[in-house]
Amino acid sequence: MARCVETASPILMHHLLHMSVFSQSFSPCGKFLAAGNNYGEIALFSLSAALGPDANELSQKPILTFTAHEGPVFSLLSTDSHLLSAGNGEISAWSWAELIKKDNSLAVGGGDNNVHIMDLENGAFKSVLQGHTDYIHCLSVRERASEVLSGGEDGAVRIWDTRTSQCVHCVEVYKYETCARPQHGKWISCLTTDSDWMLCGGGPSLSLWHLRSMSPTSVFPLSGCQRQATFYQDMILTVGEGQCVSHCLMGGEVKAQIPCTPHSINTLAINTNSTEHRVLTVGGSSDHIDVFTNLSYKAFSLRF
């Protein structure tokens, strides 16, 4: 049987064969390496991706390549704000903030069963992630791995590589006996990630998963469907059906359940943007938004 092997184009092979790297410089934050070659190109590499636990062949490729000079890039030098490059008779300055800015994209999921990636710079949709068989309830972005996670009515959590728009893992949570609750259904209503960890729940019990082994490590004994959960310090905070915020430990224990005003809770948020105004806020089936200055009790309520 004939075997088809994908090969690089002759032009690209010639380009790589005769390439020489003339210069290097690290970014001020130390997370990136810039390298210049004899073709006048500067390539930017992410050291945090290449050295991370999820590193693969793609992690060793440039996150950005651009032509800086007509001839070789003989020298590169970093300042606190700029990357300086020297070519044949010219010196150019490139803003580090522009070079390493994050992908300004928005992931959107909904009733058409797809995840759409929008470019916020021009408002255009640049890719569609297809695979769910029912509408999508929740999304979570795993920036370090360039991944988006989606949870849907079909009971699946799909993990997407945003660089290739491909689904790299599909976890059907309701098929795991420790998580399944057939009386509540199979839908996923709550999903969040933190480094190598994922929280998900809905019809199935809220469960903690290790994303490298793709297996559940803890299942939380909470009644009702959870609608939102978040990692906070060494705990997990979660809300849903019920008049409380549940404080859970990573091992699966429910440490405390703090009473709230709404009888059913849809949303919680933690203000991490200000140390002076760091609060937890909770809202649901009420015109009240409960405010917690201490996680152990409600301080007061805002009202519409």
Side-chain angles (χ1 to χ4, degrees):
M1 180 182 294
R3 182 181 178 189
C4 179
V5 179
E6 184 179 347
T7 60
S9 70
I11 295 176
L12 178 59
M13 290 295 291
H14 182 273
H15 186 84
L16 296 174
L17 184 63
H18 294 88
M19 183 179 294
S20 294
V21 177
F22 283 168
S23 52
Q24 299 181 84
S25 186
F26 292 103
S27 64
C29 66
K31 297 179 180 179
F32 301 90
L33 171 67
N37 66 22
N38 56 315
Y39 295 115
E41 298 170 335
I42 294 176
L44 196 65
F45 299 88
S46 171
L47 296 177
S48 54
L51 297 172
D54 299 316
N56 52 34
E57 188 175 348
L58 191 61
S59 307
Q60 299 170 359
K61 298 290 186 182
I63 61 171
L64 174 68
T65 303
F66 61 97
T67 301
H69 301 278
E70 291 185 1
V73 182
F74 290 114
S75 181
L76 287 172
L77 176 68
S78 286
T79 70
D80 289 341
S81 58
H82 287 83
L83 173 68
L84 306 179
S85 62
N88 282 321
E90 62 180 6
I91 297 174
S92 298
W94 314 90
S95 168
W96 272 115
E98 288 297 314
L99 291 175
I100 63 177
K101 69 179 180 181
K102 295 180 179 178
D103 183 21
N104 197 14
S105 299
L106 175 69
V108 181
D112 68 349
N113 310 344
N114 297 324
V115 179
H116 300 265
I117 307 297
M118 174 188 284
D119 187 337
L120 292 177
E121 296 289 341
N122 55 29
F125 287 101
K126 58 184 184 179
S127 61
V128 180
L129 313 181
Q130 298 177 314
H132 282 283
T133 58
D134 212 332
Y135 58 88
I136 295 167
H137 287 291
C138 45
L139 297 169
S140 182
V141 176
R142 192 174 175 224
E143 292 185 357
R144 193 184 72 182
S146 299
E147 291 175 345
V148 170
L149 285 73
S150 56
E153 185 74 11
D154 58 4
V157 173
R158 288 185 174 269
I159 304 176
W160 309 88
D161 188 328
T162 57
R163 296 165 294 191
T164 63
S165 299
Q166 298 298 309
C167 179
V168 293
H169 292 290
C170 179
V171 182
E172 295 178 299
V173 181
Y174 66 95
K175 291 185 177 180
Y176 287 76
E177 185 177 352
T178 55
C179 304
R181 296 189 301 183
Q183 71 274 24
H184 292 295
K186 63 182 183 179
W187 56 296
I188 300 296
S189 60
C190 143
L191 177 65
T192 190
T193 57
D194 181 34
S195 186
D196 290 331
W197 297 96
M198 172 182 76
L199 275 171
C200 64
S205 296
L206 182 71
S207 52
L208 177 67
W209 295 66
H210 192 257
L211 289 173
R212 298 186 68 187
S213 63
M214 298 308 299
S215 59
T217 63
S218 300
V219 178
F220 300 93
L222 298 167
S223 60
C225 300
Q226 300 304 297
R227 299 193 180 108
Q228 191 166 3
T230 187
F231 294 93
Y232 184 69
Q233 295 179 351
D234 58 349
M235 287 192 305
I236 290 163
L237 306 179
T238 179
V239 296
E241 295 176 353
Q243 198 173 356
C244 64
V245 177
S246 296
H247 297 186
C248 302
L249 302 179
M250 300 286 278
E253 303 88 356
V254 179
K255 181 180 180 182
Q257 292 187 304
I258 312 302
C260 300
T261 303
H263 290 279
S264 182
I265 303 174
N266 298 323
T267 176
L268 85 163
I270 299 175
N271 181 16
T272 58
N273 297 331
S274 168
T275 54
E276 182 182 0
H277 304 109
R278 181 160 294 177
V279 294
L280 166 70
T281 55
V282 170
S285 58
S286 167
D287 63 343
H288 289 62
I289 299 172
D290 290 347
V291 179
F292 296 76
T293 55
N294 182 306
L295 294 181
S296 301
Y297 61 88
K298 179 188 75 176
F300 60 92
S301 295
L302 304 172
R303 299 188 64 178
F304 274 86

